Amino acid sequence: MRFLMLLVPTLRSSCSTSAPTFHELRKVMGTGKVMIPAPLFHLKFLNGICRLRCRNFKWAALAALAAVLIFFGVDSADAQSDLDRCKFIGELTKADDGVAACDRIIKDSKTSAQDRASALSDRCGWWWAKKDTDQALTDCNESIRANGANAAAYLNRGNVYLSKSDFEHAFADFNEALRLDPKNAWAYAERGNLYKNKGDFDHALADLSESIRLDPGYALAYFARGDLYRSRGDLAHAMADMNDSIRLDPNYALAYFTRGRLSYMLGNGPAALEDFGKAIKLDADDATAYFNRGVTYYIIGGRNPDAIADFKKAAELNPKDAYAALWRDLAERRNNAPSHLAEAAKQLDMTVWPAPVIRQFLGELNAEQTFGAAFDTDPQTKVSQTCEANFYSGESALLKKNKKEAQRLLKLAVDNCPPNFIESTAALAELIPLQ
């Protein structure tokens, strides 16, 4: 099973051309002006003088000015509040409030054309956060028609296109954002992340590195570049970037999860367990974090009850995950506990891989039949499925106390499994005590 690859939008805010961090976002105050009616202005000014009852006119004037400023603050509080709330910062819990504030700005007849275009761009971002891509696209399109020089609108729309798997239009929007604002760290990160998921390592690395150069405090850019290094097998640079991402944003669950995977691949089980635990604490509903921690518990030895608990939780969160069911069965058998694989198989798609492996553990297929089922006309698929057939058949041999056969099969898994596969590191850990 290969490690999870995610398309992680680096978008968090549209209120600045510099790149926002994941949790602590830069706040740019609005520039809207509020007019004070002349009669009220004079009234506040005179009241300020009268209340002071001071012979020194200079101090009286300052007092009056203070009164005016107080009045100004009260009078403009609602307008400024809407400007702040409308700004898109990517927090889903604030989406409804953000949309409502943007609505008020957009519908206000006193709103300038430029501010209305910005509010439409922000509302586009909020709709995107709420996964309403159709309304988001409508708002972004209208914002760009009203003000085609707003880089944030193109960045928001680019993320909407990403959600629609329209990578061509997303790429075009990120390019346009950079044309409008060549020093926009956020835009470089967005385009670099898209390059990364297209498999264009060189362009992705260049964009993400430029994003970091422009904004050394951008945690998500470090994360994206670190995950890029990981996918290329450069674990040292990947670990360095993950460390920086976590240093800049200590509450980023996905960075802890990814650093945990790196520690796992490097054979550092205790560090992997610590990071998976932190990821779970920050995001208790992430099935993949429980699954990966369960695998780590399993391979370091003596932690089978903990492994079983994590695999059970992963299966509860994602009942259709065949690998969670399979690894739970491995841990239960090693711990001499009752197996739940037959029950779990009822919720799995038994027509696709790794169904043959599950059937082997259920006693419906033998190892030779599993190897036969691993064949595929696509070379990459064949390699991955053969890797898993070797590893899980080796585990089956271990459970049957057939040390020689287990050693042979696990050695094949070590030699032939892609390094980013969970089974690759697990096979090596299982093979060491057999030698």
mmCIF file of all heavy atoms in Angstrom, residues 252-293:
data_model
loop_
_atom_site.group_PDB
_atom_site.id
_atom_site.type_symbol
_atom_site.label_atom_id
_atom_site.label_comp_id
_atom_site.label_asym_id
_atom_site.label_seq_id
_atom_site.Cartn_x
_atom_site.Cartn_y
_atom_site.Cartn_z
ATOM 1 N N TYR A 252 -0.419 22.041 12.756
ATOM 2 C CA TYR A 252 -0.715 21.529 11.417
ATOM 3 C C TYR A 252 -0.662 19.997 11.449
ATOM 4 O O TYR A 252 0.399 19.385 11.392
ATOM 5 C CB TYR A 252 0.287 22.106 10.429
ATOM 6 C CG TYR A 252 -0.037 21.872 8.973
ATOM 7 C CD1 TYR A 252 -1.245 21.324 8.571
ATOM 8 C CD2 TYR A 252 0.876 22.214 7.985
ATOM 9 C CE1 TYR A 252 -1.540 21.123 7.247
ATOM 10 C CE2 TYR A 252 0.596 22.013 6.650
ATOM 11 C CZ TYR A 252 -0.614 21.465 6.283
ATOM 12 O OH TYR A 252 -0.888 21.257 4.959
ATOM 13 N N ALA A 253 -1.830 19.362 11.542
ATOM 14 C CA ALA A 253 -1.917 17.913 11.715
ATOM 15 C C ALA A 253 -1.265 17.146 10.569
ATOM 16 O O ALA A 253 -0.569 16.143 10.791
ATOM 17 C CB ALA A 253 -3.383 17.497 11.855
ATOM 18 N N LEU A 254 -1.475 17.607 9.336
ATOM 19 C CA LEU A 254 -0.964 16.875 8.188
ATOM 20 C C LEU A 254 0.567 16.879 8.154
ATOM 21 O O LEU A 254 1.186 15.922 7.693
ATOM 22 C CB LEU A 254 -1.522 17.463 6.895
ATOM 23 C CG LEU A 254 -1.280 16.659 5.607
ATOM 24 C CD1 LEU A 254 -1.768 15.231 5.755
ATOM 25 C CD2 LEU A 254 -1.943 17.335 4.424
ATOM 26 N N ALA A 255 1.186 17.945 8.667
ATOM 27 C CA ALA A 255 2.648 17.988 8.708
ATOM 28 C C ALA A 255 3.184 16.970 9.713
ATOM 29 O O ALA A 255 4.181 16.283 9.455
ATOM 30 C CB ALA A 255 3.119 19.395 9.064
ATOM 31 N N TYR A 256 2.521 16.847 10.864
ATOM 32 C CA TYR A 256 2.930 15.820 11.829
ATOM 33 C C TYR A 256 2.757 14.423 11.233
ATOM 34 O O TYR A 256 3.606 13.542 11.401
ATOM 35 C CB TYR A 256 2.102 15.929 13.111
ATOM 36 C CG TYR A 256 2.503 17.064 14.013
ATOM 37 C CD1 TYR A 256 1.695 18.183 14.159
ATOM 38 C CD2 TYR A 256 3.704 17.023 14.730
ATOM 39 C CE1 TYR A 256 2.061 19.237 14.994
ATOM 40 C CE2 TYR A 256 4.073 18.069 15.561
ATOM 41 C CZ TYR A 256 3.255 19.170 15.683
ATOM 42 O OH TYR A 256 3.627 20.211 16.505
ATOM 43 N N PHE A 257 1.647 14.231 10.544
ATOM 44 C CA PHE A 257 1.378 12.924 9.931
ATOM 45 C C PHE A 257 2.459 12.576 8.917
ATOM 46 O O PHE A 257 3.004 11.466 8.908
ATOM 47 C CB PHE A 257 0.004 12.957 9.264
ATOM 48 C CG PHE A 257 -0.316 11.725 8.463
ATOM 49 C CD1 PHE A 257 -0.442 10.496 9.069
ATOM 50 C CD2 PHE A 257 -0.487 11.791 7.086
ATOM 51 C CE1 PHE A 257 -0.741 9.356 8.338
ATOM 52 C CE2 PHE A 257 -0.775 10.666 6.349
ATOM 53 C CZ PHE A 257 -0.903 9.440 6.977
ATOM 54 N N THR A 258 2.807 13.544 8.069
ATOM 55 C CA THR A 258 3.809 13.290 7.037
ATOM 56 C C THR A 258 5.191 13.084 7.653
ATOM 57 O O THR A 258 5.955 12.223 7.203
ATOM 58 C CB THR A 258 3.835 14.449 6.028
ATOM 59 O OG1 THR A 258 2.515 14.628 5.495
ATOM 60 C CG2 THR A 258 4.796 14.155 4.886
ATOM 61 N N ARG A 259 5.522 13.864 8.680
ATOM 62 C CA ARG A 259 6.809 13.647 9.343
ATOM 63 C C ARG A 259 6.836 12.284 10.024
ATOM 64 O O ARG A 259 7.884 11.620 10.064
ATOM 65 C CB ARG A 259 7.088 14.763 10.352
ATOM 66 C CG ARG A 259 8.528 14.751 10.863
ATOM 67 C CD ARG A 259 8.836 15.956 11.716
ATOM 68 N NE ARG A 259 8.166 15.922 13.017
ATOM 69 C CZ ARG A 259 8.366 16.812 13.980
ATOM 70 N NH1 ARG A 259 9.211 17.830 13.771
ATOM 71 N NH2 ARG A 259 7.728 16.735 15.127
ATOM 72 N N GLY A 260 5.696 11.859 10.531
ATOM 73 C CA GLY A 260 5.610 10.511 11.095
ATOM 74 C C GLY A 260 5.883 9.441 10.058
ATOM 75 O O GLY A 260 6.572 8.448 10.319
ATOM 76 N N ARG A 261 5.356 9.632 8.861
ATOM 77 C CA ARG A 261 5.620 8.675 7.776
ATOM 78 C C ARG A 261 7.101 8.651 7.414
ATOM 79 O O ARG A 261 7.670 7.598 7.135
ATOM 80 C CB ARG A 261 4.790 9.046 6.543
ATOM 81 C CG ARG A 261 3.298 8.874 6.745
ATOM 82 C CD ARG A 261 2.545 9.003 5.441
ATOM 83 N NE ARG A 261 2.751 10.285 4.814
ATOM 84 C CZ ARG A 261 2.245 10.610 3.629
ATOM 85 N NH1 ARG A 261 1.550 9.731 2.954
ATOM 86 N NH2 ARG A 261 2.449 11.809 3.125
ATOM 87 N N LEU A 262 7.727 9.839 7.419
ATOM 88 C CA LEU A 262 9.156 9.900 7.123
ATOM 89 C C LEU A 262 9.952 9.151 8.180
ATOM 90 O O LEU A 262 10.879 8.391 7.856
ATOM 91 C CB LEU A 262 9.617 11.357 7.051
ATOM 92 C CG LEU A 262 9.130 12.162 5.857
ATOM 93 C CD1 LEU A 262 9.428 13.645 6.056
ATOM 94 C CD2 LEU A 262 9.769 11.670 4.560
ATOM 95 N N SER A 263 9.619 9.350 9.462
ATOM 96 C CA SER A 263 10.311 8.640 10.533
ATOM 97 C C SER A 263 10.098 7.137 10.398
ATOM 98 O O SER A 263 11.024 6.345 10.625
ATOM 99 C CB SER A 263 9.805 9.129 11.897
ATOM 100 O OG SER A 263 10.175 10.475 12.116
ATOM 101 N N TYR A 264 8.885 6.738 10.024
ATOM 102 C CA TYR A 264 8.595 5.318 9.801
ATOM 103 C C TYR A 264 9.488 4.758 8.701
ATOM 104 O O TYR A 264 10.097 3.687 8.849
ATOM 105 C CB TYR A 264 7.120 5.155 9.445
ATOM 106 C CG TYR A 264 6.746 3.777 8.948
ATOM 107 C CD1 TYR A 264 6.468 2.748 9.843
ATOM 108 C CD2 TYR A 264 6.665 3.506 7.585
ATOM 109 C CE1 TYR A 264 6.124 1.484 9.386
ATOM 110 C CE2 TYR A 264 6.327 2.249 7.119
ATOM 111 C CZ TYR A 264 6.051 1.237 8.023
ATOM 112 O OH TYR A 264 5.724 -0.016 7.573
ATOM 113 N N MET A 265 9.593 5.471 7.585
ATOM 114 C CA MET A 265 10.401 5.009 6.462
ATOM 115 C C MET A 265 11.888 4.951 6.817
ATOM 116 O O MET A 265 12.637 4.131 6.287
ATOM 117 C CB MET A 265 10.191 5.924 5.252
ATOM 118 C CG MET A 265 8.791 5.862 4.679
ATOM 119 S SD MET A 265 8.474 7.130 3.419
ATOM 120 C CE MET A 265 9.490 6.531 2.079
ATOM 121 N N LEU A 266 12.310 5.815 7.756
ATOM 122 C CA LEU A 266 13.701 5.834 8.188
ATOM 123 C C LEU A 266 13.961 4.833 9.319
ATOM 124 O O LEU A 266 15.089 4.750 9.821
ATOM 125 C CB LEU A 266 14.084 7.244 8.650
ATOM 126 C CG LEU A 266 14.168 8.295 7.534
ATOM 127 C CD1 LEU A 266 14.218 9.706 8.117
ATOM 128 C CD2 LEU A 266 15.382 8.049 6.647
ATOM 129 N N GLY A 267 12.933 4.102 9.717
ATOM 130 C CA GLY A 267 13.097 3.092 10.749
ATOM 131 C C GLY A 267 13.068 3.627 12.163
ATOM 132 O O GLY A 267 13.433 2.917 13.103
ATOM 133 N N ASN A 268 12.624 4.875 12.349
ATOM 134 C CA ASN A 268 12.561 5.474 13.682
ATOM 135 C C ASN A 268 11.138 5.351 14.212
ATOM 136 O O ASN A 268 10.336 6.296 14.146
ATOM 137 C CB ASN A 268 12.997 6.939 13.608
ATOM 138 C CG ASN A 268 13.195 7.561 14.985
ATOM 139 O OD1 ASN A 268 12.760 7.011 15.992
ATOM 140 N ND2 ASN A 268 13.832 8.709 15.036
ATOM 141 N N GLY A 269 10.815 4.169 14.734
ATOM 142 C CA GLY A 269 9.466 3.899 15.207
ATOM 143 C C GLY A 269 8.992 4.824 16.316
ATOM 144 O O GLY A 269 7.871 5.343 16.246
ATOM 145 N N PRO A 270 9.786 5.079 17.362
ATOM 146 C CA PRO A 270 9.320 5.967 18.440
ATOM 147 C C PRO A 270 8.958 7.367 17.951
ATOM 148 O O PRO A 270 7.959 7.945 18.378
ATOM 149 C CB PRO A 270 10.514 5.996 19.400
ATOM 150 C CG PRO A 270 11.198 4.679 19.178
ATOM 151 C CD PRO A 270 11.047 4.409 17.714
ATOM 152 N N ALA A 271 9.783 7.931 17.058
ATOM 153 C CA ALA A 271 9.483 9.270 16.525
ATOM 154 C C ALA A 271 8.208 9.237 15.691
ATOM 155 O O ALA A 271 7.393 10.170 15.732
ATOM 156 C CB ALA A 271 10.654 9.780 15.689
ATOM 157 N N ALA A 272 8.026 8.164 14.914
ATOM 158 C CA ALA A 272 6.814 8.027 14.104
ATOM 159 C C ALA A 272 5.575 7.965 14.995
ATOM 160 O O ALA A 272 4.569 8.634 14.731
ATOM 161 C CB ALA A 272 6.907 6.784 13.228
ATOM 162 N N LEU A 273 5.653 7.185 16.069
ATOM 163 C CA LEU A 273 4.512 7.068 16.983
ATOM 164 C C LEU A 273 4.169 8.418 17.607
ATOM 165 O O LEU A 273 2.993 8.771 17.740
ATOM 166 C CB LEU A 273 4.832 6.058 18.087
ATOM 167 C CG LEU A 273 4.855 4.587 17.680
ATOM 168 C CD1 LEU A 273 5.287 3.726 18.861
ATOM 169 C CD2 LEU A 273 3.488 4.128 17.179
ATOM 170 N N GLU A 274 5.198 9.171 17.983
ATOM 171 C CA GLU A 274 4.965 10.474 18.600
ATOM 172 C C GLU A 274 4.250 11.413 17.640
ATOM 173 O O GLU A 274 3.274 12.089 18.017
ATOM 174 C CB GLU A 274 6.290 11.087 19.044
ATOM 175 C CG GLU A 274 6.131 12.421 19.757
ATOM 176 C CD GLU A 274 7.449 13.005 20.216
ATOM 177 O OE1 GLU A 274 8.502 12.350 20.030
ATOM 178 O OE2 GLU A 274 7.436 14.132 20.764
ATOM 179 N N ASP A 275 4.702 11.453 16.383
ATOM 180 C CA ASP A 275 4.082 12.368 15.416
ATOM 181 C C ASP A 275 2.692 11.919 15.007
ATOM 182 O O ASP A 275 1.786 12.749 14.850
ATOM 183 C CB ASP A 275 4.978 12.514 14.186
ATOM 184 C CG ASP A 275 6.058 13.576 14.379
ATOM 185 O OD1 ASP A 275 5.935 14.373 15.333
ATOM 186 O OD2 ASP A 275 7.013 13.612 13.604
ATOM 187 N N PHE A 276 2.485 10.614 14.837
ATOM 188 C CA PHE A 276 1.137 10.144 14.516
ATOM 189 C C PHE A 276 0.185 10.477 15.664
ATOM 190 O O PHE A 276 -0.969 10.846 15.431
ATOM 191 C CB PHE A 276 1.138 8.636 14.247
ATOM 192 C CG PHE A 276 1.803 8.245 12.954
ATOM 193 C CD1 PHE A 276 2.575 7.096 12.881
ATOM 194 C CD2 PHE A 276 1.655 9.007 11.816
ATOM 195 C CE1 PHE A 276 3.190 6.720 11.690
ATOM 196 C CE2 PHE A 276 2.266 8.650 10.622
ATOM 197 C CZ PHE A 276 3.037 7.501 10.566
ATOM 198 N N GLY A 277 0.687 10.360 16.900
ATOM 199 C CA GLY A 277 -0.147 10.710 18.048
ATOM 200 C C GLY A 277 -0.525 12.175 18.052
ATOM 201 O O GLY A 277 -1.664 12.544 18.355
ATOM 202 N N LYS A 278 0.410 13.057 17.691
ATOM 203 C CA LYS A 278 0.113 14.488 17.625
ATOM 204 C C LYS A 278 -0.878 14.784 16.513
ATOM 205 O O LYS A 278 -1.767 15.631 16.674
ATOM 206 C CB LYS A 278 1.409 15.276 17.411
ATOM 207 C CG LYS A 278 2.322 15.280 18.629
ATOM 208 C CD LYS A 278 3.622 16.021 18.354
ATOM 209 C CE LYS A 278 4.521 16.044 19.575
ATOM 210 N NZ LYS A 278 5.822 16.700 19.306
ATOM 211 N N ALA A 279 -0.726 14.091 15.374
ATOM 212 C CA ALA A 279 -1.668 14.291 14.266
ATOM 213 C C ALA A 279 -3.079 13.893 14.684
ATOM 214 O O ALA A 279 -4.054 14.587 14.372
ATOM 215 C CB ALA A 279 -1.225 13.482 13.057
ATOM 216 N N ILE A 280 -3.192 12.790 15.421
ATOM 217 C CA ILE A 280 -4.502 12.316 15.874
ATOM 218 C C ILE A 280 -5.104 13.284 16.888
ATOM 219 O O ILE A 280 -6.315 13.552 16.874
ATOM 220 C CB ILE A 280 -4.376 10.901 16.460
ATOM 221 C CG1 ILE A 280 -4.105 9.894 15.332
ATOM 222 C CG2 ILE A 280 -5.621 10.515 17.245
ATOM 223 C CD1 ILE A 280 -3.689 8.528 15.812
ATOM 224 N N LYS A 281 -4.258 13.834 17.757
ATOM 225 C CA LYS A 281 -4.755 14.792 18.752
ATOM 226 C C LYS A 281 -5.334 16.024 18.068
ATOM 227 O O LYS A 281 -6.338 16.588 18.523
ATOM 228 C CB LYS A 281 -3.621 15.183 19.695
ATOM 229 C CG LYS A 281 -4.060 16.067 20.850
ATOM 230 C CD LYS A 281 -2.911 16.337 21.808
ATOM 231 C CE LYS A 281 -3.362 17.212 22.973
ATOM 232 N NZ LYS A 281 -2.239 17.474 23.924
ATOM 233 N N LEU A 282 -4.708 16.446 16.971
ATOM 234 C CA LEU A 282 -5.170 17.628 16.247
ATOM 235 C C LEU A 282 -6.340 17.327 15.321
ATOM 236 O O LEU A 282 -7.143 18.208 15.023
ATOM 237 C CB LEU A 282 -4.014 18.226 15.441
ATOM 238 C CG LEU A 282 -2.899 18.880 16.272
ATOM 239 C CD1 LEU A 282 -1.662 19.125 15.419
ATOM 240 C CD2 LEU A 282 -3.394 20.195 16.879
ATOM 241 N N ASP A 283 -6.427 16.085 14.842
ATOM 242 C CA ASP A 283 -7.512 15.693 13.932
ATOM 243 C C ASP A 283 -7.915 14.265 14.264
ATOM 244 O O ASP A 283 -7.416 13.305 13.682
ATOM 245 C CB ASP A 283 -7.048 15.799 12.475
ATOM 246 C CG ASP A 283 -8.173 15.519 11.485
ATOM 247 O OD1 ASP A 283 -9.303 15.245 11.938
ATOM 248 O OD2 ASP A 283 -7.929 15.557 10.260
ATOM 249 N N ALA A 284 -8.836 14.144 15.215
ATOM 250 C CA ALA A 284 -9.219 12.829 15.740
ATOM 251 C C ALA A 284 -10.042 12.006 14.763
ATOM 252 O O ALA A 284 -10.321 10.833 15.041
ATOM 253 C CB ALA A 284 -9.991 13.002 17.044
ATOM 254 N N ASP A 285 -10.429 12.575 13.638
ATOM 255 C CA ASP A 285 -11.246 11.849 12.667
ATOM 256 C C ASP A 285 -10.459 11.405 11.443
ATOM 257 O O ASP A 285 -11.046 10.989 10.438
ATOM 258 C CB ASP A 285 -12.427 12.721 12.214
ATOM 259 C CG ASP A 285 -13.399 13.005 13.350
ATOM 260 O OD1 ASP A 285 -13.566 12.115 14.210
ATOM 261 O OD2 ASP A 285 -13.977 14.104 13.375
ATOM 262 N N ASP A 286 -9.150 11.462 11.506
ATOM 263 C CA ASP A 286 -8.305 11.081 10.370
ATOM 264 C C ASP A 286 -7.984 9.594 10.448
ATOM 265 O O ASP A 286 -7.114 9.167 11.220
ATOM 266 C CB ASP A 286 -7.025 11.906 10.367
ATOM 267 C CG ASP A 286 -6.142 11.605 9.158
ATOM 268 O OD1 ASP A 286 -6.580 10.843 8.276
ATOM 269 O OD2 ASP A 286 -5.016 12.128 9.101
ATOM 270 N N ALA A 287 -8.668 8.801 9.645
ATOM 271 C CA ALA A 287 -8.476 7.349 9.666
ATOM 272 C C ALA A 287 -7.062 6.953 9.284
ATOM 273 O O ALA A 287 -6.509 5.979 9.815
ATOM 274 C CB ALA A 287 -9.485 6.682 8.724
ATOM 275 N N THR A 288 -6.448 7.697 8.355
ATOM 276 C CA THR A 288 -5.111 7.317 7.889
ATOM 277 C C THR A 288 -4.073 7.454 8.999
ATOM 278 O O THR A 288 -3.101 6.698 9.041
ATOM 279 C CB THR A 288 -4.689 8.183 6.686
ATOM 280 O OG1 THR A 288 -4.734 9.561 7.043
ATOM 281 C CG2 THR A 288 -5.599 7.930 5.497
ATOM 282 N N ALA A 289 -4.243 8.414 9.900
ATOM 283 C CA ALA A 289 -3.294 8.578 11.002
ATOM 284 C C ALA A 289 -3.385 7.385 11.954
ATOM 285 O O ALA A 289 -2.357 6.861 12.412
ATOM 286 C CB ALA A 289 -3.559 9.878 11.745
ATOM 287 N N TYR A 290 -4.609 6.957 12.272
ATOM 288 C CA TYR A 290 -4.768 5.765 13.114
ATOM 289 C C TYR A 290 -4.169 4.536 12.429
ATOM 290 O O TYR A 290 -3.482 3.731 13.073
ATOM 291 C CB TYR A 290 -6.251 5.513 13.403
ATOM 292 C CG TYR A 290 -6.858 6.456 14.407
ATOM 293 C CD1 TYR A 290 -7.654 7.514 13.989
ATOM 294 C CD2 TYR A 290 -6.633 6.294 15.771
ATOM 295 C CE1 TYR A 290 -8.221 8.393 14.906
ATOM 296 C CE2 TYR A 290 -7.204 7.162 16.697
ATOM 297 C CZ TYR A 290 -7.988 8.212 16.254
ATOM 298 O OH TYR A 290 -8.539 9.070 17.159
ATOM 299 N N PHE A 291 -4.420 4.404 11.133
ATOM 300 C CA PHE A 291 -3.906 3.241 10.411
ATOM 301 C C PHE A 291 -2.383 3.209 10.443
ATOM 302 O O PHE A 291 -1.770 2.178 10.758
ATOM 303 C CB PHE A 291 -4.396 3.249 8.962
ATOM 304 C CG PHE A 291 -3.763 2.188 8.111
ATOM 305 C CD1 PHE A 291 -4.182 0.880 8.197
ATOM 306 C CD2 PHE A 291 -2.726 2.497 7.258
ATOM 307 C CE1 PHE A 291 -3.587 -0.122 7.437
ATOM 308 C CE2 PHE A 291 -2.117 1.527 6.488
ATOM 309 C CZ PHE A 291 -2.548 0.208 6.578
ATOM 310 N N ASN A 292 -1.750 4.342 10.131
ATOM 311 C CA ASN A 292 -0.291 4.370 10.093
ATOM 312 C C ASN A 292 0.321 4.174 11.475
ATOM 313 O O ASN A 292 1.366 3.532 11.609
ATOM 314 C CB ASN A 292 0.193 5.681 9.469
ATOM 315 C CG ASN A 292 0.105 5.653 7.958
ATOM 316 O OD1 ASN A 292 1.024 5.245 7.275
ATOM 317 N ND2 ASN A 292 -1.033 6.090 7.417
ATOM 318 N N ARG A 293 -0.313 4.707 12.495
ATOM 319 C CA ARG A 293 0.199 4.461 13.847
ATOM 320 C C ARG A 293 0.041 2.991 14.208
ATOM 321 O O ARG A 293 0.925 2.408 14.856
ATOM 322 C CB ARG A 293 -0.516 5.350 14.867
ATOM 323 C CG ARG A 293 0.144 5.306 16.251
ATOM 324 C CD ARG A 293 -0.473 6.274 17.218
ATOM 325 N NE ARG A 293 -1.839 5.915 17.601
ATOM 326 C CZ ARG A 293 -2.538 6.538 18.554
ATOM 327 N NH1 ARG A 293 -2.002 7.577 19.192
ATOM 328 N NH2 ARG A 293 -3.771 6.167 18.841
#
